[in-house]
Amino acid sequence: MGPSPRDLQLTPAGDGWKQREGVASDLEEVRLLDEYEDGNSGKVEEGSEIGMKRVQLRVTGMTCAACSNSVEGALRSLNGVLRASVALLQNKADVVFDPNFVKEEDIANAIEDAGFDSEIICEPNTSQKKSHGTLTGQFTIGGMTCAACVNSVEGILRNLPGVKRAVVALATSLGEVEYDPTVISKDDIVNAIEDAGFEGSLVQSSEQDKIILGVTGIYNELEAQLLEGILCNLKGVRQFRFDRTLSELEVIFDPELTGSRFLVDVIESGSTGKFKLHVKNPYTRMTSRDIEESSNLFRLFTASLLLSIPIIVMQVVCPHIPLLYSLLRWQCGPFRVGDWLKWALVTVIQFVIGKRFYIAAGRALRNGSTNMDVLVALGTSAAYFYSVCALLYGAGKTSDAIKKLVELSPATALLLLQDKGGKIIGEREIDALLIQPGDVLKVLPGTKVPVDGVVTWGSSYVNESMVTGESAPVMKEVNSSIIGGTMNLHGSLHIQATKVGSDTVLSQIICLVETAQMSKAPIQKFADFVASIFVPIVVAMSLLTFLVWYIAGAVGAYPATWLPENSSNLVFSLMFSISVMVIACPCALGLATPTAVMVATGIGANNGVLIKGGDALERAQQVKYVVFDKTGTLTQGKATVTTAKVFTGMERGEFLMLVASAEASSEHPLAKAIVEYARHFHFFDEPSSNKNAFNHSKESEFSAWLLDVLDFSALPGRGVQCFVNGKQVLVGNRKLLTENGVTVPKHAEEFVVELEESAKTGILVAYDSALIGVLGVADPLKREAVVVIEGLKKMGVEPVMVTGDNWRTAQAVAREVGIKDVRAEVMPAGKAEVIRSFQKDGSVVAMVGDGINDSPALAAADVGMAIGAGTDIAIEAADYVLMRSSLEDVLTAIDLSRKTFARIRLNYMFAMAYNVISIPVAAGVFFPWLRIGLPPWVAGACMAFSSVSVVCSSLLLRRYKKPRLTTILEITVE
């Protein structure tokens, strides 16, 4: 018999844990919930008014919009409250107030006076960091069947002392809890889940220094003591625990003193090779539990089917076989043989195989909530006991996306062993989870890259489609970055690991997909509200149905011929009542949104579009405007100098040297293009096609030809300025020169205008307060830009371009790409203002960008889409990440959102129609005219069909195909 879920959790010292003396036990760090909670609040303007304070409160007990309106009214009536908003779905209140007039306690009391429970949450901040000392744990929660279960678990977790936040997802059976380890432990959280009537266990936590190892070779107590002795003497090990039943070793260690691979090596060598260890992936462990639960459910289904077949045979087939039929009708005691057999078989199905429904229903009722299990238990029990009394009287696979992503990472890797001089002296196969930053690994042709890194030797084509969605193989050479989980096609490569574990691109994708699948789309609040009141209403309707039919029969409102043979008014009324209870189903409503969102986020990840949550998915289907940044988004971001014109007697080489010296300290793409052009002019070297080619090594190699620069400064939106040989150098736009009193001659202005009208950027150069030359820089459009813009127009979306470039260049690029609405010479902060100007009439606005200067606009937009090749800051601020850096994925993101919510609306329509139609039929509303009624067993089958049909409807999204440009543009390909 396996251990209980609690045996699998990391616990404080004691209870089976060995803790090294003098070592602190508070070892965990922070991880998961920032993206979901803080990411959602990122769109809300911070309460930054002078002297004001902002506080967030957890409000429990709200069930509908009327409740949230009541809380908002109570808060706004307080003297000193500037703003108050209440989010029903998140059960939160956000209040900006003057601390001179009102205190946090007064705000909490006002909520409680309104009839709701409140709890002050730590004050949010713009850095999106959790308070020091809080941890995040991810738990599996078994036994949830509908939205009511989710609400029940979330409510219980959020009410635990020390718990800051809790999010529960029905589709993945996962919960994420942020908590204070000084107040509550993981064991307490698991116990609370189990006390609520569900199965709970820890999947992983935010600990960065814990490892779970599978151990073979330990068969008795002496060998276990040997393992303990090795760990006790190992420097850096703080706590450990060995589970003999599962053969699992959990170790907490100080990463500054020891590493995971060193730990494994010491244990194996210390046991003289007797112990063999392998790292256990938490996602793989979770998947195996899912498979085990699915297998158990299938066994129960098979058993119930096998027991049901004889009942059907006895009822349908045996009456046509005289010998068998006479045997079944043979009297045995008070009942016939057939009745005894049916009763025995049905009892096993009802109370042995169906035991899980009674257990779950009992747990729900014990916690003061109702769910589908309560309905199933009530309905089937009523049908069962009615049948017994009559006898006496007569005589729901969706988390495939995460599973597939986990499987991309190889299990092992080839580690190259090096001597002190860096020479390779051998290789060794190690577990991929033991790779450390700086390790040099060998990747053979036809194998997967184990972690993110940089190529140090060799060249090969790599298939990145499984991560980015880009089908064309990508050439990788020395100094090329490479993504873990991708497939090496041809040549052998040596790579140096740069990011391992949770820092890899693949792990971040998994985290994003998982977080998105756990988040709730705003449309789901309708289903949550219906689920919260559904069961009591159905029970009341069932009781009402019974009373109406029973009273009608008692007063003779219908003829006795309506009653079945050998039946009574009581039994006739009870049949309708039971059918109502059995056929009603809140599950279809509860599953309509999360299953579709779960499938959509997985499909998006497979197509290179990472979606950060259900709310972002819902907003994208309503997008009216898509605002594009120019450089690096519509254009390739690979600027090249096309023209260099000198207006004085200065030599061309001297002019380029002066400009390059001024621009060498700038990080702007145009500056790098100018320096690369000047270097090529001086050294006749081929410019690199790699936009990062101007790296530190080249800078040091060719820096000797650059002039000494003093007082360098970069001026955003203008250019750069510095001093060379004691004279001021200005490189930038007209505004920079005008501000510094430099006059632009007419012939130079005409040349710049000519450049700008040909979609090039004119860069003016002044030396010693006089214009000496102009450079023309071009950034080619992405090849798909024109057709994507046209495709957006066909989809009813208006494209807009915003750029810091000058008006003439911006308009030239816009004409070339087909955009009519252009905003030019816009500073980074001004881009966010442009977004807000479109939002004033309630329009939903999407922003597509790639740079740090785009992050304010991405955050301000209703839907932020970051190009995958962009900066980390831009990606963090966005709601969508386009991994392929292709503009076609903008169309995919919007199209996928529209198709997903069309499917969700279809699911809701079916779920509502099912209950609206089936409940009256089951209640016998049409019986007086059509003589149509539903026996309880038919009602039960219809109830199951409703849930299955909604899930199957959502799963049809897996057949989603990216929109073809030829289809959108209505192009006929001959």
Side-chain angles (χ1 to χ4, degrees):
M1 181 176 176
S4 69
R6 287 193 298 275
D7 293 331
L8 303 178
Q9 311 311 315
L10 186 61
T11 58
D15 191 25
W17 274 95
K18 307 293 183 180
Q19 180 170 342
R20 296 285 298 276
E21 185 176 351
V23 180
S25 61
D26 184 14
L27 306 175
E28 301 174 284
E29 295 179 5
V30 184
R31 190 181 65 90
L32 289 172
L33 276 178
D34 300 74
E35 194 113 26
Y36 173 66
E37 292 276 356
D38 296 338
N40 288 344
S41 63
K43 305 290 182 188
V44 180
E45 185 179 350
E46 299 289 340
S48 57
E49 291 83 354
I50 297 175
M52 295 297 169
K53 191 175 180 183
R54 182 181 174 207
V55 67
Q56 285 190 348
L57 301 96
R58 180 79 61 196
V59 183
T60 54
M62 297 188 298
T63 58
C64 62
C67 298
S68 60
N69 292 338
S70 174
V71 175
E72 280 188 0
L75 292 174
R76 289 171 179 168
S77 65
L78 289 176
N79 184 28
V81 171
L82 180 65
R83 287 201 310 272
S85 60
V86 177
L88 176 64
L89 194 60
Q90 284 82 19
N91 291 318
K92 274 187 180 180
D94 189 279
V95 185
V96 177
F97 64 97
D98 187 341
N100 295 320
F101 291 93
V102 66
K103 305 298 181 186
E104 293 178 353
E105 293 76 12
D106 300 330
I107 295 172
N109 291 336
I111 296 174
E112 292 173 0
D113 291 342
F116 303 91
D117 294 329
S118 66
E119 176 189 357
I120 297 175
I121 307 173
C122 57
E123 186 173 352
N125 55 64
T126 55
S127 64
Q128 293 191 352
K129 297 289 184 183
K130 296 187 182 69
S131 58
H132 179 70
T134 61
L135 307 176
T136 300
Q138 192 175 75
F139 300 83
T140 57
I141 303 172
M144 296 189 298
T145 55
C146 61
C149 299
V150 173
N151 294 337
S152 176
V153 176
E154 282 187 347
I156 289 166
L157 291 175
R158 288 168 180 169
N159 289 330
L160 291 176
V163 170
K164 306 295 184 183
R165 307 182 217 176
V167 181
V168 177
L170 173 63
T172 56
S173 296
L174 286 177
E176 282 190 342
V177 183
E178 184 188 349
Y179 61 96
D180 185 346
T182 61
V183 179
I184 190 171
S185 68
K186 294 188 212 56
D187 273 348
D188 296 330
I189 295 173
V190 172
N191 289 337
I193 294 171
E194 292 180 342
D195 290 342
F198 302 92
E199 298 173 3
S201 65
L202 179 72
V203 176
Q204 62 178 1
S205 74
S206 53
E207 296 167 312
Q208 300 299 310
D209 51 4
K210 184 184 84 169
I211 188 171
I212 302 173
L213 301 167
V215 185
T216 57
I218 297 182
Y219 304 107
N220 53 51
E221 190 61 33
L222 288 177
E223 291 164 343
Q225 291 176 2
L226 174 61
L227 175 64
E228 181 179 333
I230 295 171
L231 290 169
C232 287
N233 295 321
L234 186 57
K235 186 178 181 181
V237 172
R238 294 178 173 178
Q239 297 178 13
F240 62 88
R241 187 185 70 172
F242 178 64
D243 190 312
R244 289 281 296 275
T245 307
L246 297 175
S247 295
E248 283 187 355
L249 173 65
E250 295 184 32
V251 183
I252 298 179
F253 59 93
D254 187 342
E256 300 296 326
L257 299 177
T258 187
S260 55
R261 189 168 69 244
F262 177 75
L263 191 149
V264 171
D265 291 343
V266 168
I267 294 175
E268 289 185 345
S269 61
S271 65
T272 62
K274 188 173 183 179
F275 301 159
K276 296 296 180 184
L277 284 74
H278 62 277
V279 183
K280 291 206 168 184
N281 189 313
Y283 291 103
T284 305
R285 297 167 74 214
M286 184 177 67
T287 302
S288 65
R289 281 197 293 269
D290 290 341
I291 294 172
E292 183 180 348
E293 183 177 355
S294 299
S295 300
N296 183 47
L297 290 174
F298 182 75
R299 284 195 299 270
L300 291 174
F301 168 74
T302 304
S304 63
L305 181 63
L306 292 175
L307 292 174
S308 300
I309 289 174
I311 299 174
I312 297 172
V313 170
M314 282 188 284
Q315 193 72 25
V316 178
V317 179
C318 288
H320 302 286
I321 304 175
L323 180 62
L324 289 178
Y325 190 57
S326 61
L327 181 62
L328 293 175
R329 292 180 62 83
W330 181 47
Q331 196 73 19
C332 182
F335 310 118
R336 296 170 181 170
V337 170
D339 294 331
W340 282 112
L341 290 174
K342 291 174 186 176
W343 175 77
L345 293 171
V346 168
T347 300
V348 173
I349 295 172
Q350 181 71 24
F351 297 107
V352 178
I353 297 175
K355 178 180 66 175
R356 60 193 308 272
F357 291 104
Y358 287 96
I359 294 173
R363 292 166 175 170
L365 293 173
R366 193 163 60 245
N367 288 285
S369 62
T370 54
N371 57 18
M372 186 203 70
D373 296 302
V374 175
L375 276 184
V376 172
L378 279 175
T380 56
S381 296
Y384 173 84
F385 287 112
Y386 154 72
S387 300
V388 172
C389 291
L391 182 64
L392 294 174
Y393 176 82
K397 190 187 193 179
T398 54
S399 56
D400 283 347
I402 294 177
K403 182 180 178 183
K404 289 179 180 178
L405 288 170
V406 171
E407 290 172 350
L408 289 179
S409 182
T412 61
L414 284 176
L415 174 69
L416 295 177
L417 305 176
Q418 299 174 304
D419 58 17
K420 292 183 179 180
K423 183 180 179 181
I424 297 173
I425 57 176
E427 59 185 51
R428 169 189 169 193
E429 186 174 19
I430 63 170
D431 195 303
L433 295 175
L434 295 177
I435 298 172
Q436 298 171 356
D439 285 347
V440 178
L441 308 167
K442 183 177 182 180
V443 184
L444 298 173
T447 61
K448 293 178 180 178
V449 179
V451 292
D452 295 358
V454 177
V455 178
T456 60
W457 177 88
S459 63
S460 177
Y461 280 94
V462 174
N463 181 3
E464 297 182 341
S465 62
M466 58 284 294
V467 175
T468 66
E470 178 59 62
S471 57
V474 181
M475 182 65 181
K476 299 294 181 182
E477 304 174 299
V478 174
N479 292 330
S480 296
S481 60
I482 195 164
I483 302 173
T486 55
M487 178 69 74
N488 181 25
L489 297 179
H490 303 299
S492 181
L493 296 174
H494 291 179
I495 67 168
Q496 185 174 34
T498 56
K499 294 181 179 180
V500 301
S502 60
D503 294 329
T504 63
V505 170
L506 184 60
S507 294
Q508 291 171 2
I509 291 174
I510 293 172
C511 184
L512 277 178
V513 173
E514 195 172 56
T515 304
Q517 292 180 347
M518 291 193 67
S519 67
K520 295 180 180 178
I523 195 175
Q524 193 174 343
K525 64 185 179 183
F526 168 71
D528 290 341
F529 168 69
V530 172
S532 65
I533 63 172
F534 189 88
V535 175
I537 289 177
V538 168
V539 173
M541 290 176 65
S542 176
L543 181 60
L544 180 63
T545 299
F546 172 77
L547 292 175
V548 168
W549 278 103
Y550 184 76
I551 294 172
V555 300
Y558 56 82
T561 55
W562 286 11
L563 300 178
E565 187 179 354
N566 296 325
S567 183
S568 66
N569 180 37
L570 173 66
V571 173
F572 185 62
S573 304
L574 194 59
M575 290 290 289
F576 286 117
S577 176
I578 292 171
S579 294
V580 169
M581 195 176 299
V582 171
I583 204 168
C585 181
C587 290
L589 283 169
L591 293 171
T593 297
T595 52
V597 169
M598 186 174 185
V599 173
T601 51
I603 292 297
N606 291 339
N607 285 279
V609 178
L610 299 185
I611 308 166
K612 291 190 178 180
D615 53 344
L617 191 66
E618 180 169 349
R619 289 195 299 269
Q621 50 128 6
Q622 301 169 334
V623 166
K624 183 177 180 181
Y625 297 98
V626 175
V627 180
F628 291 93
D629 175 47
K630 180 177 77 72
T631 305
T633 303
L634 288 173
T635 65
Q636 296 178 13
K638 299 177 182 177
T640 55
V641 177
T642 59
T643 308
K645 189 173 183 63
V646 184
F647 294 116
T648 64
M650 183 180 292
E651 291 288 335
R652 182 184 178 89
E654 184 182 355
F655 169 74
L656 292 175
M657 182 187 300
L658 181 68
V659 179
S661 300
E663 293 281 22
S665 299
S666 174
E667 289 295 319
H668 197 281
L670 298 184
K672 293 184 178 183
I674 292 170
V675 176
E676 180 76 6
Y677 180 81
R679 181 185 60 76
H680 172 58
F681 181 87
H682 278 271
F683 296 97
F684 303 101
D685 183 34
E686 285 296 325
S688 172
S689 60
N690 188 340
K691 68 179 179 181
N692 295 320
F694 190 73
N695 51 32
H696 296 294
S697 60
K698 286 192 175 182
E699 189 174 324
S700 61
E701 182 180 350
F702 297 108
S703 60
W705 62 278
L706 296 174
L707 302 173
D708 292 332
V709 172
L710 298 175
D711 298 332
F712 171 87
S713 61
L715 306 172
R718 295 172 177 80
V720 300
Q721 67 178 15
C722 63
F723 286 87
V724 176
N725 297 328
K727 298 178 181 179
Q728 187 184 45
V729 178
L730 301 172
V731 183
N733 56 22
R734 295 180 184 83
K735 187 181 293 185
L736 176 65
L737 270 64
T738 302
E739 290 175 351
N740 286 272
V742 179
T743 303
V744 180
K746 184 178 180 181
H747 65 282
E749 176 66 25
E750 291 174 350
F751 182 75
V752 173
V753 170
E754 183 182 343
L755 288 173
E756 292 172 346
E757 288 179 346
S758 60
K760 297 176 183 177
T761 301
I763 298 176
L764 294 83
V765 182
Y767 181 59
D768 195 19
S769 300
L771 181 75
I772 62 171
V774 174
L775 294 167
V777 181
D779 187 1
L781 285 173
K782 291 181 176 177
R783 62 183 182 180
E784 73 274 11
V786 176
V787 289
V788 167
I789 296 302
E790 184 64 23
L792 284 172
K793 293 178 181 178
K794 292 285 186 180
M795 295 172 71
V797 178
E798 185 66 30
V800 180
M801 188 180 80
V802 59
T803 178
D805 214 335
N806 65 82
W807 274 102
R808 286 193 184 90
T809 302
Q811 288 175 335
V813 171
R815 278 195 304 271
E816 188 175 349
V817 80
I819 295 178
K820 295 180 180 179
D821 195 342
V822 183
R823 310 297 169 95
E825 299 180 7
V826 180
M827 304 294 283
K831 292 182 180 181
E833 290 302 321
V834 171
I835 297 294
R836 294 188 185 99
S837 69
F838 285 110
Q839 293 172 328
K840 286 181 179 178
D841 63 352
S843 298
V844 177
V845 182
M847 170 71 191
V848 185
D850 70 324
I852 294 176
N853 62 342
D854 296 324
S855 56
L858 288 169
D862 299 290
V863 181
M865 298 183 184
I867 298 293
T871 64
D872 291 340
I873 295 176
I875 291 173
E876 180 67 25
D879 302 300
Y880 282 71
V881 180
L882 312 181
M883 292 296 295
R884 297 191 310 159
S885 300
S886 170
L887 292 177
E888 293 178 24
D889 290 338
V890 175
L891 300 177
T892 301
I894 297 174
D895 184 66
L896 177 60
S897 173
R898 290 180 176 180
K899 285 186 168 58
T900 299
F901 276 84
R903 181 65 57 178
I904 289 174
R905 282 188 284 270
L906 181 65
N907 288 349
Y908 276 136
M909 190 182 304
F910 175 81
M912 292 295 294
Y914 165 80
N915 284 290
V916 168
I917 295 172
S918 63
I919 291 178
V921 172
V925 172
F926 304 106
F927 189 85
W929 300 280
L930 304 176
R931 300 294 188 273
I932 294 177
L934 291 179
W937 68 271
V938 175
C942 291
M943 185 263 298
F945 173 74
S946 69
S947 299
V948 171
S949 60
V950 166
V951 173
C952 290
S953 173
S954 295
L955 289 176
L956 287 175
L957 281 171
R958 299 175 69 175
R959 301 172 60 184
Y960 173 82
K961 300 295 182 184
K962 294 171 59 176
R964 296 172 61 90
L965 289 173
T966 52
T967 304
I968 294 175
L969 301 179
E970 299 176 355
I971 297 173
T972 304
V973 180
E974 306 235 346

